[in-house]
PDB file of all heavy atoms in Angstrom:
ATOM      1  N   ILE M  27      -7.983   0.290 -11.549  1.00 98.00           N
ATOM      2  CA  ILE M  27      -6.959  -0.170 -10.657  1.00 98.00           C
ATOM      3  C   ILE M  27      -5.620  -0.132 -11.412  1.00 98.00           C
ATOM      4  O   ILE M  27      -5.513  -0.566 -12.562  1.00 98.00           O
ATOM      5  CB  ILE M  27      -7.223  -1.693 -10.122  1.00 98.00           C
ATOM      6  CG1 ILE M  27      -8.587  -1.760  -9.685  1.00 98.00           C
ATOM      7  CG2 ILE M  27      -6.205  -2.027  -9.190  1.00 98.00           C
ATOM      8  CD1 ILE M  27      -8.943  -0.751  -8.518  1.00 98.00           C
ATOM      9  N   LYS M  65      -3.665   5.134 -20.304  1.00 98.00           N
ATOM     10  CA  LYS M  65      -4.859   4.241 -20.323  1.00 98.00           C
ATOM     11  C   LYS M  65      -5.714   4.436 -19.112  1.00 98.00           C
ATOM     12  O   LYS M  65      -7.065   4.348 -19.358  1.00 98.00           O
ATOM     13  CB  LYS M  65      -4.210   2.791 -20.295  1.00 98.00           C
ATOM     14  CG  LYS M  65      -5.285   1.710 -20.346  1.00 98.00           C
ATOM     15  CD  LYS M  65      -4.652   0.177 -20.395  1.00 98.00           C
ATOM     16  CE  LYS M  65      -5.692  -0.820 -20.569  1.00 98.00           C
ATOM     17  NZ  LYS M  65      -5.033  -2.142 -20.633  1.00 98.00           N
ATOM     18  N   SER M  76     -20.007   7.050 -19.997  1.00 98.00           N
ATOM     19  CA  SER M  76     -20.960   5.981 -19.914  1.00 98.00           C
ATOM     20  C   SER M  76     -22.004   6.321 -18.805  1.00 98.00           C
ATOM     21  O   SER M  76     -23.014   5.566 -18.675  1.00 98.00           O
ATOM     22  CB  SER M  76     -20.372   4.620 -19.566  1.00 98.00           C
ATOM     23  OG  SER M  76     -19.813   4.636 -18.304  1.00 98.00           O
ATOM     24  N   SER M  95      -8.717  14.273 -11.560  1.00 98.00           N
ATOM     25  CA  SER M  95      -9.526  15.069 -10.762  1.00 98.00           C
ATOM     26  C   SER M  95     -10.341  16.119 -11.617  1.00 98.00           C
ATOM     27  O   SER M  95     -11.568  16.342 -11.472  1.00 98.00           O
ATOM     28  CB  SER M  95      -8.920  15.824  -9.617  1.00 98.00           C
ATOM     29  OG  SER M  95      -8.497  14.867  -8.601  1.00 98.00           O
ATOM     30  N   VAL M 106     -13.284   8.906  -5.991  1.00 98.00           N
ATOM     31  CA  VAL M 106     -12.550   8.533  -4.782  1.00 98.00           C
ATOM     32  C   VAL M 106     -11.200   7.867  -5.130  1.00 98.00           C
ATOM     33  O   VAL M 106     -11.236   6.893  -5.900  1.00 98.00           O
ATOM     34  CB  VAL M 106     -13.421   7.536  -3.936  1.00 98.00           C
ATOM     35  CG1 VAL M 106     -12.618   7.073  -2.755  1.00 98.00           C
ATOM     36  CG2 VAL M 106     -14.713   8.189  -3.511  1.00 98.00           C
ATOM     37  N   VAL M 113      -1.378  13.554  -5.677  1.00 96.00           N
ATOM     38  CA  VAL M 113      -0.577  14.735  -5.446  1.00 96.00           C
ATOM     39  C   VAL M 113      -1.464  15.928  -5.076  1.00 96.00           C
ATOM     40  O   VAL M 113      -0.874  16.844  -4.395  1.00 96.00           O
ATOM     41  CB  VAL M 113       0.259  14.968  -6.648  1.00 96.00           C
ATOM     42  CG1 VAL M 113      -0.604  15.392  -7.887  1.00 96.00           C
ATOM     43  CG2 VAL M 113       1.389  15.925  -6.424  1.00 96.00           C
ATOM     44  N   SER M 164       7.354   6.479  -8.875  1.00 90.00           N
ATOM     45  CA  SER M 164       6.216   7.302  -9.198  1.00 90.00           C
ATOM     46  C   SER M 164       5.057   7.347  -8.221  1.00 90.00           C
ATOM     47  O   SER M 164       4.132   7.926  -8.394  1.00 90.00           O
ATOM     48  CB  SER M 164       5.675   6.943 -10.612  1.00 90.00           C
ATOM     49  OG  SER M 164       5.168   5.643 -10.623  1.00 90.00           O
ATOM     50  N   ASP M 217      23.315  -6.469   7.352  1.00 98.00           N
ATOM     51  CA  ASP M 217      22.591  -6.992   8.515  1.00 98.00           C
ATOM     52  C   ASP M 217      21.111  -6.931   8.378  1.00 98.00           C
ATOM     53  O   ASP M 217      20.321  -7.518   9.195  1.00 98.00           O
ATOM     54  CB  ASP M 217      23.018  -6.283   9.771  1.00 98.00           C
ATOM     55  CG  ASP M 217      24.498  -6.365   9.929  1.00 98.00           C
ATOM     56  OD1 ASP M 217      25.025  -7.384  10.268  1.00 98.00           O
ATOM     57  OD2 ASP M 217      25.162  -5.271   9.708  1.00 98.00           O
ATOM     58  N   VAL M 219      17.573  -5.634   5.668  1.00 98.00           N
ATOM     59  CA  VAL M 219      16.933  -5.264   4.464  1.00 98.00           C
ATOM     60  C   VAL M 219      15.513  -4.607   4.790  1.00 98.00           C
ATOM     61  O   VAL M 219      14.701  -5.251   5.401  1.00 98.00           O
ATOM     62  CB  VAL M 219      16.694  -6.448   3.475  1.00 98.00           C
ATOM     63  CG1 VAL M 219      15.833  -5.985   2.181  1.00 98.00           C
ATOM     64  CG2 VAL M 219      17.970  -7.134   3.110  1.00 98.00           C
ATOM     65  N   MET M 241      18.973 -16.927   7.170  1.00 97.00           N
ATOM     66  CA  MET M 241      18.036 -15.891   7.498  1.00 97.00           C
ATOM     67  C   MET M 241      18.073 -15.479   9.010  1.00 97.00           C
ATOM     68  O   MET M 241      17.511 -14.486   9.371  1.00 97.00           O
ATOM     69  CB  MET M 241      16.545 -16.304   7.169  1.00 97.00           C
ATOM     70  CG  MET M 241      16.414 -16.537   5.642  1.00 97.00           C
ATOM     71  SD  MET M 241      17.232 -15.262   4.564  1.00 97.00           S
ATOM     72  CE  MET M 241      16.330 -13.760   5.116  1.00 97.00           C
ATOM     73  N   ASN M 307       2.217 -11.819  17.021  1.00 98.00           N
ATOM     74  CA  ASN M 307       0.823 -11.594  16.839  1.00 98.00           C
ATOM     75  C   ASN M 307       0.376 -11.931  15.505  1.00 98.00           C
ATOM     76  O   ASN M 307      -0.820 -11.621  15.113  1.00 98.00           O
ATOM     77  CB  ASN M 307       0.478 -10.101  17.130  1.00 98.00           C
ATOM     78  CG  ASN M 307       1.093  -9.138  16.096  1.00 98.00           C
ATOM     79  OD1 ASN M 307       1.929  -9.525  15.302  1.00 98.00           O
ATOM     80  ND2 ASN M 307       0.620  -7.973  16.055  1.00 98.00           N
TER      81      ASN M 307
END
Side-chain angles (χ1 to χ4, degrees):
I27 307 301
K65 182 175 183 178
S76 67
S95 286
V106 175
V113 68
S164 62
D217 308 285
V219 176
M241 298 314 302
N307 69 346

